[in-house]
Amino acid sequence: MSDAVRLSTRFPAHWRLPLAALVLLLLAILALYAHTVVGMVTIWSRSDTYAHGFVVPVITLWLIWRIRHTLAALVPKPSPLAWVMLLGAAGFWLAGDLVAVNAATQLALVMLLVLAVPAVLGWHLAKAMAFPLGFLFFAVPIGDFMLPYFMEWTADFTVLALRVSGIPVYREGLQFIIPSGAWSVVEACSGIRYMIASVTVGCLFAYLSYTSLKKRLIFIGVAILVPLVANWLRAYMIVMIGHLSGNELATGVDHLIYGWVFFGVVILIMLFVGARWADAPAPPAGPLGAAASAGAQARGMSSRRTAMAAVVALLIVASPHLLERLLALGTQTSAVSLAAPAAQAPWQNNASPPSDWVPAFQLPVATSHLGYSGPQGEAVGLHITYYRQQDYERKLVSSQNMLVVHDDKQWAQVSGGSATTQLAGQPVTVAAATLRNQAGGLTANTQRLQVWRVYWVNNRFTASDALAKIQGALSRITGQGDDGAIVVIYTPLDPQLTEADARAAATAVLQNFMQNQGGAIEAALKTTRGAP
């Protein structure tokens, strides 16, 4: 057999140019979006929750390699519809990059990589690779938005289980006290990393073990439910072990080790049980040489179409960078001089704020912390955090911007919610929370604060993270720059009143302050921005 025939048997001729075009397009995407790629890899390397991202691309390539004989028998045929979808993914990336949303840009990057396949090879080939391509989305480090819910559910279950076990519990927020000591549900206790690991492994196992869609969906559902319940049981058992051992066991680092051991055992049992219903593997496809005849008639016209498809796709994926350069022209680069809101009668400025607490907002360009007193001696603090020239480290809306970090030793957030007020004559919804000073212990009569938080962006106030991001993008697109601020007002709760009455009284104080000072706050922000 000649070398030419042997090469044709190993690798169909009608695949050579399309595959080369696809590889070059994928490399171009990775190069053009290099800072997004670096951002993903950085998160993989620093977070145990998303460390599996390193192996996801490798698994995807291996999954595609497993079906290479099936793919070789198909004839690549570029899809114009995929070009339109590629344009949508590029626009999605641009919108996310304008407001520095890692989850959006990284999700868009994977969408670009996946859509490059039908853009060059066609939908029939993309369909044949549906699961491997879909599995690539597990590389996106997304899921932190579920963290507060997982922490709350874990605390709910643990406290309920302790009470059912006959142990008295006093709970406030994510912290609770039992007779043997105090416990707190922190990020490591949320179970989010167990959930993400379980779903990733579960989807891969279901794909490799079952051919029935029903079986696959059932197993994936089990992979979602098992880590959720397992983490609740883990948290309960750790508290019980600590309680029964006089806090000598399952405290500190070792309770995390116990958690991973418990989770590992649960996952192994889940996979062992799932394997009992595994389907027989499908018979292997024919050799690569069988594809030669399928592509013989397409060789003449495929080269031109494939080259055109790759060029069009490359222009599409490069377009957001040109637009971004144009939009950057509207961003202000001058230093920020934060204007102080003037006190409006009957409110007056105080020499100092009513508390030393400050929000845990990261890397602003300017901040101010002022105190005010009302006509009846009410004390209100105003904290303004200002952002300009935002990027992925310094940005207005971020999961790192919190009223109180979870491991704060002095302050803890014990409740959350929302409230509606009047600001500059317009109804505005604000995020509300109650904070407690932890210096004297969980049950001590220490200082508590009622806190309201609202974003100011694109000359609008909103409490919504999503709306703040959208307004930020609109501000950039319309050439208004990326200036924005977080406005926080707070007042101490009256320790002489019941919890409910104290919060109601504090809400009335903040309502009155916003109605009187809202216009001055807005005017100061506009002055800082330089807007007319």
Side-chain angles (χ1 to χ4, degrees):
M1 183 181 292
S2 67
D3 292 342
V5 173
R6 187 179 298 109
L7 179 61
S8 176
T9 302
R10 292 200 308 266
F11 195 79
H14 68 280
W15 261 94
R16 295 173 191 169
L17 181 60
L19 185 58
L22 177 62
V23 170
L24 290 175
L25 177 59
L26 294 176
L27 292 175
I29 292 174
L30 293 176
L32 286 168
Y33 297 85
H35 74 277
T36 303
V37 176
V38 171
M40 289 180 68
V41 174
T42 300
I43 295 175
W44 296 346
S45 62
R46 74 185 183 197
S47 171
D48 292 339
T49 303
Y50 304 110
H52 65 277
F54 284 107
V55 300
V56 167
V58 177
I59 294 175
T60 295
L61 292 175
W62 173 72
L63 292 172
I64 294 174
W65 178 256
R66 289 178 72 249
I67 58 173
R68 63 191 182 279
H69 298 298
T70 301
L71 298 177
L74 302 176
V75 178
K77 184 179 180 181
S79 168
L81 175 60
W83 302 343
V84 177
M85 298 179 67
L86 204 63
L87 182 61
F92 181 44
W93 179 89
L94 177 61
D97 196 58
L98 288 177
V99 288
V101 180
N102 279 311
T105 56
Q106 292 165 8
L107 184 62
L109 169 63
V110 175
M111 292 171 63
L112 290 171
L113 294 172
V114 169
L115 289 170
V117 175
V120 175
L121 303 183
W123 285 109
H124 59 304
L125 274 153
K127 182 179 179 181
M129 293 184 279
F131 181 83
L133 294 177
F135 190 77
L136 193 59
F137 283 94
F138 282 111
V140 181
I142 188 171
D144 285 346
F145 68 93
M146 298 185 295
L147 191 61
Y149 305 103
F150 275 58
M151 294 171 67
E152 188 72 25
W153 296 339
T154 301
D156 290 343
F157 181 88
T158 304
V159 170
L160 176 61
L162 289 171
R163 288 172 175 164
V164 170
S165 301
I167 299 175
V169 184
Y170 173 77
R171 177 186 176 184
E172 193 169 48
L174 298 176
Q175 298 176 315
F176 53 92
I177 285 181
I178 59 178
S180 59
W183 295 82
S184 179
V185 177
V186 296
E187 293 182 12
C189 304
S190 67
I192 187 70
R193 63 183 61 179
Y194 304 148
M195 171 67 76
I196 292 175
S198 176
V199 173
T200 303
V201 172
C203 287
L204 181 61
F205 180 88
Y207 172 73
L208 295 175
S209 301
Y210 308 120
T211 57
S212 164
L213 178 61
K214 181 179 179 180
K215 284 185 179 181
R216 287 176 175 176
L217 293 178
I218 290 175
F219 190 84
I220 292 171
V222 171
I224 294 173
L225 184 62
V226 164
L228 189 65
V229 177
N231 183 65
W232 296 346
L233 294 173
R234 177 195 70 89
Y236 166 67
M237 289 190 300
I238 285 173
V239 175
M240 286 298 296
I241 292 172
H243 175 67
L244 297 175
S245 67
N247 292 324
E248 293 184 3
L249 299 176
T251 58
V253 177
D254 61 335
H255 87 270
L256 297 178
I257 298 174
Y258 295 161
W260 274 113
V261 171
F262 176 73
F263 174 73
V265 171
V266 169
I267 293 299
L268 286 176
I269 294 174
M270 181 183 74
L271 296 179
F272 177 77
V273 173
R276 293 175 60 88
W277 286 275
D279 295 327
L288 290 175
S293 60
Q297 72 276 16
R299 294 174 190 172
M301 65 177 183
S302 65
S303 297
R304 181 178 300 174
R305 294 188 62 177
T306 299
M308 183 185 71
V311 171
V312 170
L314 180 60
L315 292 174
I316 289 173
V317 299
S319 60
H321 298 277
L322 176 60
L323 291 173
E324 193 172 40
R325 295 295 178 89
L326 295 175
L327 294 175
L329 299 177
T331 302
Q332 296 191 56
T333 58
S334 58
V336 172
S337 178
L338 188 54
Q344 305 296 305
W347 289 83
Q348 298 179 343
N349 289 106
N350 274 352
S352 60
S355 173
D356 60 357
W357 166 79
V358 293
F361 299 152
Q362 305 300 311
L363 303 176
V365 295
T367 62
S368 68
H369 192 187
L370 306 173
Y372 296 82
S373 59
Q376 307 299 323
E378 308 96 319
V380 170
L382 169 65
H383 192 281
I384 298 177
T385 305
Y386 204 89
Y387 289 87
R388 174 177 291 175
Q389 290 185 280
Q390 300 180 49
D391 54 31
Y392 285 91
E393 298 297 325
R394 180 178 63 241
K395 52 186 176 179
L396 179 73
V397 183
S398 167
S399 60
Q400 302 301 314
N401 286 344
M402 296 177 282
L403 296 176
V404 177
V405 294
H406 297 301
D407 57 353
D408 193 302
K409 303 300 182 184
Q410 184 176 2
W411 291 93
Q413 180 173 329
V414 297
S415 71
S418 62
T420 302
T421 187
Q422 291 284 325
L423 199 159
Q426 299 294 324
V428 173
T429 299
V430 299
T434 302
L435 310 184
R436 176 182 51 78
N437 193 312
Q438 304 186 88
L442 188 60
T443 58
N445 188 20
T446 55
Q447 185 184 42
R448 294 169 184 257
L449 305 175
Q450 188 70 14
V451 182
W452 285 1
R453 187 268 301 158
V454 66
Y455 298 111
W456 178 80
V457 56
N458 198 24
N459 285 331
R460 290 173 174 81
F461 290 95
T462 178
S464 167
D465 292 356
L467 290 178
K469 286 292 189 183
I470 292 172
Q471 290 296 337
L474 291 175
S475 182
R476 291 285 305 275
I477 291 172
T478 56
Q480 301 301 310
D482 68 348
D483 282 30
I486 309 176
V487 178
V488 174
I489 64 171
Y490 65 90
T491 188
L493 295 181
D494 189 342
Q496 305 302 319
L497 300 177
T498 64
E499 184 76 11
D501 290 344
R503 290 184 183 181
T507 298
V509 170
L510 296 178
Q511 289 274 12
N512 183 272
F513 179 83
M514 259 320 190
Q515 291 172 7
N516 283 273
Q517 288 292 129
I521 293 173
E522 183 178 36
L525 292 171
K526 288 184 175 180
T527 299
T528 301
R529 180 180 181 176

